[in-house]
Amino acid sequence: MNECYYDKRMDFFYNKTNTDTVDEWTGTKLIIVLCFGTFFCLFIFISNSLVIAAVVKNKRFHFPFYYLLANLAAADFFAGIAYVFLMFNTGPVSKTLTVNRWFLRQGLLDTSLTASLVNLLVIAVERHMSIMRMKIHSNLTKKRVTFLIISIWAIAIFMGAVPTLGWNCLCDITACSSLAPLYSRSYLVFWSVLNLVVFFIMVVVYIRIYMYVQRKTNVLSSHTSGSISRRRTPMKLMKTVMTLLGAFVVCWTPGLVVLLLDGLNCTYCGIQDVKRWFLLLALLNSVMNPIIYSYKDDEMWSTMKRMICCSSEDKSQDRCSSRIPSTVLCRSTDTSGHYIEDGIIQGTICGKADLGDKGNS
């Protein structure tokens, strides 16, 4: 019968797995790391708080798609909390942690990653279904989006708690990984492969959407008299989405590959030398998300600027008060051209189209 080590501190496991905890991480080096980490975390808190506040404040965002966007910002905000906790419980401090505190540190990171990833997957699948069915309105209702958000966090919390619930190496030291001394190598393989598969699905979904929108836009442009700006709107939006995917690839794939190599017990891969840089890349993803999702949306950006500057509401927001809000439908005599555009991303499409109209007037 294997002996279990629930009462040991982390130095026992680090020594058993020969894990480098960077004992020399003190003095100037530690101050620089903490300063950079603090700056990034503050930016994550402020920027994602602004995104959530903008969705709450601006009535044009009171629709399911933007609720998912706000939930993504909430996931990134939670990631900021996880990184703060990690900052003050890493390096030389790691060896002094109890088993439960170490599980909490890793569980927060795993939960934040899962919440962001699943949220992005939900958005991708919903957009794909809407566009392929040629829907102007999203299929999402408030009840459905609430259920999805609750499900996203339930899945994220469960995945973050799986090692604590038993899939660990506390009773089998020989199965412990190097990067995560309490995680079984089999769990790291499962975790990294699962996330890479979900990521691959997202890439396939968005590439399919991109190709479909490009094809439909080319067909419609030869049969409609709509403005060039309106015809190009779908492609501009899909380029924004592809930018998001590119950021996700750069930020997460290297770390997941390193975890997979560790799970496969690759002793010659030099994973200890690159793990901190890949963790920094993961942190940057939470910094980039609010920029990609919000700054590219003119209505979102203007709302955030007004909140930052504490200025009064822009009266031009009410220019369409006599018609349906632009987040639901942009009315135009060129209905065929907007049939696809309105089905891509609610609100953002209409905001871009309005800007196109202004430029032509």
Side-chain angles (χ1 to χ4, degrees):
M1 183 175 180
N2 292 334
E3 181 181 358
C4 297
Y5 301 94
Y6 295 102
D7 58 340
K8 297 290 185 180
R9 289 193 173 270
M10 287 308 301
D11 58 342
F12 172 82
F13 298 97
Y14 281 119
N15 292 333
K16 286 288 184 179
T17 57
N18 296 319
T19 302
D20 177 23
T21 57
V22 197
D23 289 325
E24 72 276 9
W25 225 19
T26 57
T28 304
K29 185 181 294 186
L30 178 62
I31 294 175
I32 293 175
V33 170
L34 290 178
C35 287
F36 274 98
T38 301
F39 172 78
F40 284 130
C41 288
L42 283 176
F43 182 84
I44 289 172
F45 291 144
I46 295 172
S47 60
N48 287 286
S49 295
L50 285 173
V51 173
I52 297 172
V55 173
V56 173
K57 182 177 181 180
N58 194 331
K59 292 183 179 180
R60 295 190 179 190
F61 299 145
H62 290 185
F63 296 94
F65 176 79
Y66 281 100
Y67 295 154
L68 286 175
L69 182 65
N71 191 55
L72 178 62
D76 288 324
F77 187 95
F78 184 85
I81 296 176
Y83 289 126
V84 169
F85 191 84
L86 173 65
M87 254 194 324
F88 294 99
N89 290 277
T90 191
V93 180
S94 297
K95 289 187 175 183
T96 66
L97 299 178
T98 62
V99 168
N100 290 335
R101 193 172 181 86
W102 190 91
F103 272 132
L104 175 61
R105 188 188 79 175
Q106 298 304 124
L108 290 174
L109 292 173
D110 294 346
T111 299
S112 65
L113 167 60
T114 305
S116 296
L117 187 60
V118 177
N119 203 103
L120 289 171
L121 180 62
V122 169
I123 292 175
V125 172
E126 191 278 333
R127 290 295 87 199
H128 181 271
M129 292 175 61
S130 297
I131 293 174
M132 295 304 164
R133 293 177 181 177
M134 300 287 286
K135 296 287 187 179
I136 293 179
H137 299 287
S138 171
N139 290 328
L140 282 176
T141 62
K142 288 186 178 181
K143 182 180 295 185
R144 183 185 173 194
V145 78
T146 300
F147 172 77
L148 287 174
I149 290 174
I150 294 174
S151 299
I152 288 169
W153 285 103
I155 293 172
I157 293 173
F158 174 75
M159 292 303 298
V162 165
T164 309
L165 297 175
W167 201 344
N168 54 59
C169 61
L170 288 174
C171 298
D172 186 10
I173 295 297
T174 59
C176 290
S177 65
S178 175
L179 291 179
L182 297 187
Y183 284 4
S184 298
R185 287 193 296 272
S186 60
Y187 175 74
L188 281 190
V189 172
F190 162 78
W191 170 255
S192 55
V193 169
L194 176 63
N195 284 279
L196 287 172
V197 168
V198 174
F199 168 72
F200 177 75
I201 292 173
M202 285 179 55
V203 172
V204 171
V205 168
Y206 277 120
I207 290 177
R208 181 175 170 83
I209 294 175
Y210 181 87
M211 294 175 64
Y212 183 82
V213 172
Q214 186 180 42
R215 185 171 65 254
K216 287 296 182 180
T217 301
N218 292 336
V219 172
L220 291 172
S221 62
S222 62
H223 297 286
T224 62
S225 57
S227 67
I228 295 176
S229 176
R230 287 183 176 180
R231 295 175 193 171
R232 292 178 178 174
T233 296
M235 297 310 299
K236 289 180 179 179
L237 291 169
M238 292 316 300
K239 287 178 181 178
T240 300
V241 172
M242 298 307 290
T243 301
L244 170 72
L245 287 178
F248 192 82
V249 169
V250 172
C251 292
W252 282 111
T253 300
L256 291 175
V257 171
V258 165
L259 288 177
L260 179 60
L261 292 175
D262 188 28
L264 295 175
N265 200 24
C266 180
T267 57
Y268 303 101
C269 298
I271 55 179
Q272 293 290 342
D273 299 329
V274 297
K275 64 178 183 180
R276 297 173 198 89
W277 298 107
F278 291 163
L279 182 62
L280 178 60
L281 279 176
L283 172 65
L284 289 177
N285 184 238
S286 294
V287 174
M288 296 170 69
N289 275 344
I291 298 174
I292 296 173
Y293 270 92
S294 303
Y295 182 76
K296 295 294 184 179
D297 187 324
D298 298 315
E299 184 70 23
M300 176 72 74
W301 178 238
S302 62
T303 302
M304 292 170 64
K305 284 197 298 184
R306 284 195 297 273
M307 290 190 298
I308 294 174
C309 300
C310 299
S311 63
S312 60
E313 281 291 328
D314 188 351
K315 294 183 180 180
S316 64
Q317 271 193 342
D318 299 324
R319 67 186 183 279
C320 299
S321 59
S322 59
R323 58 184 174 90
I324 299 175
S326 61
T327 44
V328 179
L329 175 64
C330 287
R331 294 197 180 277
S332 171
T333 56
D334 184 13
T335 55
S336 59
H338 279 287
Y339 202 59
I340 295 296
E341 294 178 16
D342 289 330
I344 299 173
I345 297 182
Q346 300 174 8
T348 309
I349 285 284
C350 301
K352 296 288 186 179
D354 288 341
L355 288 178
D357 287 340
K358 282 186 176 181
N360 293 328
S361 61

